[in-house]
Amino acid sequence: MNRITKSRRKFIRSSALAALGTTIAPKLLAHSSLLFEENQMYKISLAEWSLHKMLKAGDLKNIEFPAFTKRTFGINAVEYVNQFFFDKAKDKAYLKELNMRVADEGMDNVLIMIDKEGKLGDSDKKARQQAIENHYKWVEAAQFLGCHSIRVNAGGQGTREEVAKRVTESLHSLSTYAKDYDINVIVENHGGYSSDGKWLSTVIKDVGLPNCGTLPDFGNFTIDRKENITYDRYKGMKKLMPYAKAVSAKCYDFDESGVETNIDFLRIMKIVKKAGYKGYIGIEYEGKIMSEVEGIKAAKRLLEKTFNTI
């Protein structure tokens, strides 16, 4: 089985850097961003969902996402959402073209966020197995793109204990499959029981495989929206960070000084740092006041300022 490892990802990046410079403005932006990254503990990636309005409106296509990210924001790494190329997981020609565009920009593919492929905690055994198998093609696509992980969801019906048992079994099965492709399977706190930091951290611990971990999201700690049941975000981040293989800097709105009005970025980044995490910090903007482009820029400025403070 052909495995793509971190060395290949580094090769793609280094080869592409040599080809940079086709246009002046993007080159200067990229150079500035690269210099910043060299002097920082963390590098920034962009979650594709931050541009979901543009993508759904047809103003941006998935194939254009990497170059748009580099040239608009000076961000050198991307996190895909499978919804925006749902029928392309097995399309090698498409994935090859996507890889070439990433390489041309001197960028990294980080991960693919997987939705709409079934519930890993489904109470129906056949449906649960089908959900596991539905993720296989995305594991293979992630390997082809040089990503390190796929992000999955831990939804299901039943009690906390029932869903935890099913999700643990499904994650163990899927992670065992993904191991042969050098791909991590990571779970985001993404609503329901998964937004309970203790519940999700226990599930990952019980899976007990090194390539199964978490994607702690700064903002997704609402367990039940109707009943307004939430989990303390800072406690949740502490619970999830020991298993983190990626981190999502969810953000909504900013005040006049550029501070996020809902989430204490400095407090959370101190938790991230204390946990010993060394990977990308992915911007995921979901605000309604600023445009997507301006919101992403504001989030990047805040992260850079925070990196210099922690």
Side-chain angles (χ1 to χ4, degrees):
M1 188 172 292
N2 180 29
R3 299 176 62 181
I4 296 181
T5 62
K6 292 180 181 178
S7 60
R8 179 187 181 280
R9 292 192 280 269
K10 290 181 180 179
F11 173 75
I12 290 175
R13 181 177 176 82
S14 61
S15 297
L17 286 173
L20 281 175
T22 55
T23 57
I24 298 300
K27 180 179 179 181
L28 291 174
L29 185 61
H31 180 65
S32 175
S33 184
L34 286 171
L35 285 177
F36 174 81
E37 289 183 354
E38 287 176 0
N39 294 294
Q40 295 300 314
M41 182 180 300
Y42 298 107
K43 293 187 289 185
I44 296 173
S45 53
L46 180 65
E48 191 170 19
W49 190 256
S50 301
L51 296 164
H52 70 275
K53 293 176 184 178
M54 290 181 63
L55 286 151
K56 288 181 177 181
D59 297 328
L60 181 68
K61 296 179 180 179
N62 181 75
I63 198 78
E64 301 166 336
F65 170 53
F68 183 82
T69 296
K70 180 65 167 283
R71 299 176 187 186
T72 307
F73 310 110
I75 294 175
N76 300 302
V78 287
E79 304 175 8
Y80 299 100
V81 174
N82 73 328
Q83 295 181 48
F84 301 120
F85 61 124
F86 201 77
D87 60 341
K88 302 296 186 181
K90 295 184 178 182
D91 188 336
K92 291 299 194 294
Y94 179 90
L95 298 179
K96 183 178 180 180
E97 174 66 19
L98 187 55
N99 259 345
M100 288 178 63
R101 294 193 182 204
V102 169
D104 285 345
E105 298 293 334
M107 300 178 70
D108 286 333
N109 289 325
V110 179
L111 57 87
I112 308 175
M113 298 184 181
I114 313 302
D115 298 307
K116 300 183 178 182
E117 289 290 12
K119 297 180 178 180
L120 296 177
D122 202 297
S123 58
D124 182 272
K125 186 175 181 180
K126 289 185 178 179
R128 191 163 68 250
Q129 181 59 35
Q130 186 60 60
I132 295 169
E133 294 177 11
N134 287 347
H135 285 78
Y136 289 172
K137 61 182 177 291
W138 294 109
V139 169
E140 295 168 21
Q143 183 205 48
F144 193 91
L145 291 172
C147 298
H148 64 63
S149 301
I150 62 166
R151 186 276 276 148
V152 304
N153 295 302
Q157 313 91 347
T159 66
R160 290 168 58 91
E161 294 75 19
E162 290 170 340
V163 178
K165 183 176 185 297
R166 298 185 200 119
V167 169
T168 299
E169 292 173 353
S170 295
L171 287 174
H172 193 282
S173 177
L174 180 57
S175 299
T176 299
Y177 179 86
K179 180 182 178 182
D180 288 336
Y181 292 84
D182 194 34
I183 294 296
N184 299 312
V185 176
I186 57 179
V187 185
E188 180 182 357
N189 47 306
H190 208 195
Y193 298 132
S194 73
S195 288
D196 182 316
K198 183 177 180 180
W199 184 91
L200 182 53
S201 61
T202 299
V203 165
I204 301 302
K205 181 179 178 181
D206 289 346
V207 173
L209 294 176
N211 70 320
C212 184
T214 61
L215 192 166
D217 183 293
F218 290 12
N220 289 351
F221 286 100
T222 300
I223 299 171
D224 189 320
R225 198 170 298 278
K226 291 183 179 180
E227 298 296 327
N228 195 30
I229 300 174
T230 62
Y231 194 89
D232 181 270
R233 77 174 77 254
Y234 307 104
K235 180 180 177 180
M237 290 298 296
K238 288 179 181 179
K239 289 285 187 181
L240 299 179
M241 280 308 304
Y243 306 97
K245 297 183 183 297
V247 170
S248 179
K250 178 67 62 59
C251 50
Y252 303 95
D253 300 310
F254 305 85
D255 64 20
E256 293 181 356
S257 64
V259 173
E260 219 288 338
T261 58
N262 300 277
I263 301 168
D264 189 334
F265 266 46
L266 180 58
R267 183 177 175 184
I268 287 186
M269 282 307 304
K270 286 181 178 179
I271 294 171
V272 171
K273 181 180 179 181
K274 187 174 181 180
Y277 177 77
K278 302 295 184 183
Y280 281 102
I281 305 296
I283 291 173
E284 189 171 47
Y285 174 69
E286 287 193 356
K288 296 180 180 179
I289 297 176
M290 291 182 170
S291 69
E292 290 179 322
V293 168
E294 291 307 312
I296 292 167
K297 289 180 179 179
K300 183 171 183 276
R301 287 193 296 269
L302 177 56
L303 277 178
E304 291 173 343
K305 181 179 180 180
T306 305
F307 294 164
N308 286 325
T309 305
I310 58 173

